Amino acid sequence: LTMTASHTITCLLTTALLLSSCKPEIVEVKPDEPTNPQKHETITLGGGCYWCVEAVFQQLDGVISATSGFMGGHIPNPTSEEVYSLTSGHIEVVQVVFDPQIISAPEILKWFWKAHDPTDPRGQGVDKGPIYMSYIFTHSPKQRELAETSKKEAQTNFDAPIVTTIQDAEEFYAAKEEHQDYYFRMKGENPYCPQQITPKLKKLGLDY
C-alpha cells in the first residue's frame, strides 16, 4: 500500500470506530415465547404510555410476552384515529402473559405499582388524558381478588389515594407492529425514549 492509501484506510477505520462508539447500546430483550393456556396466565395493565409499561414487563423473568395495545372501549377494532380522538373509549394497555411458576400475579402487581404513579388521575408524566389512566384488567375472579388486595397493600406506599380502576378484562386489540418492543428498537431515534422511559428503567434497576 502507498502511504496515501494506508493513511486513507486508517482514517476510515478510525471514523468507523468513532461512529460505532456513539451508537446507543442495544439491549437484547428475550423474544416472546409460545403461550400455553394450561400453564400461563394473562393480566392487562394500563399505566400510561404503553411503550413505557412494555419496556418494564418484557424484562421480567417469567413474563412470556408483553404486547402493547388497547382495551376498555366500546368500538370494535378501533382505528388509531378513533382511539386518540377519544371517541372509542379505549386506553393504552400492555397485555402481559406470564408463568405463575416463575413470577406470581402478586409479584406482577408489585412491579405495576412501582412502574408508574397510580395516584395521578390525569395520566402519567407528559402523557395526560383518559387513554393514559391507571387500570388493571383482570382475567379471572381470583385475579381480581388479588388485584384488590394488592391495591390496598400498595396504598401504604403513597400519600395520595390510588385512583387505579380494577375491572374485568374486555376485548384486547394489539397495536401495530411498529409499536411493539418500541423502546429497545427506537431509543436511539425517538427522544421520548431516553427522556421519559430511560429514567424509569434506571429507577427500577432494569436494563436501559
Side-chain angles (χ1 to χ4, degrees):
L1 290 174
T2 65
M3 184 67 75
T4 301
S6 177
H7 177 72
T8 300
I9 292 172
T10 301
C11 288
L12 289 172
L13 289 173
T14 301
T15 301
L17 286 171
L18 287 172
L19 288 173
S20 65
S21 67
C22 294
K23 292 180 180 178
E25 179 188 358
I26 301 299
V27 177
E28 291 294 330
V29 177
K30 60 184 176 61
D32 291 350
E33 302 173 33
T35 300
N36 183 340
Q38 304 303 315
K39 293 176 54 180
H40 303 149
E41 292 184 28
T42 301
I43 192 167
T44 307
L45 306 171
C49 172
Y50 49 30
W51 298 338
C52 304
V53 179
E54 178 198 60
V56 173
F57 285 92
Q58 69 183 161
Q59 297 193 53
L60 304 183
D61 289 339
V63 169
I64 306 305
S65 65
T67 306
S68 293
F70 309 98
M71 188 174 279
H74 54 270
I75 297 177
N77 298 305
T79 64
S80 296
E81 291 75 16
E82 288 171 331
V83 172
Y84 294 108
S85 65
L86 307 183
T87 58
S88 76
H90 290 84
I91 67 167
E92 288 197 3
V93 296
V94 172
Q95 186 145 281
V96 179
V97 178
F98 61 98
D99 185 341
Q101 297 299 314
I102 301 175
I103 185 168
S104 66
E107 289 175 306
I108 290 284
L109 291 165
K110 285 181 181 179
W111 278 100
F112 173 73
W113 302 120
K114 292 190 296 182
H116 77 305
D117 178 5
T119 69
D120 191 340
R122 301 169 301 158
Q124 292 296 307
V126 298
D127 302 303
K128 301 299 184 186
I131 63 173
Y132 300 114
M133 301 291 285
S134 179
Y135 266 77
I136 301 173
F137 290 97
T138 58
H139 290 250
S140 70
K142 178 62 176 179
Q143 201 176 78
R144 181 158 187 162
E145 180 183 337
L146 290 172
E148 297 285 2
T149 298
S150 180
K151 180 179 178 179
K152 291 177 183 177
E153 293 174 348
Q155 183 61 72
T156 61
N157 297 318
F158 298 94
D159 294 328
I162 289 177
V163 296
T164 303
T165 299
I166 299 173
Q167 68 180 63
D168 294 341
E170 301 177 9
E171 190 72 25
F172 173 71
Y173 300 99
K176 294 179 180 179
E177 189 61 32
E178 65 239 40
H179 293 286
Q180 307 301 335
D181 194 23
Y182 191 87
Y183 173 76
F184 290 105
R185 289 189 302 102
M186 300 297 293
K187 63 180 180 175
E189 298 181 38
N190 186 342
Y192 177 93
C193 294
Q195 291 171 4
Q196 303 297 324
I197 307 178
T198 299
K200 180 193 296 285
L201 299 178
K202 286 182 177 180
K203 181 180 178 181
L204 294 171
L206 297 171
D207 286 337
Y208 56 87

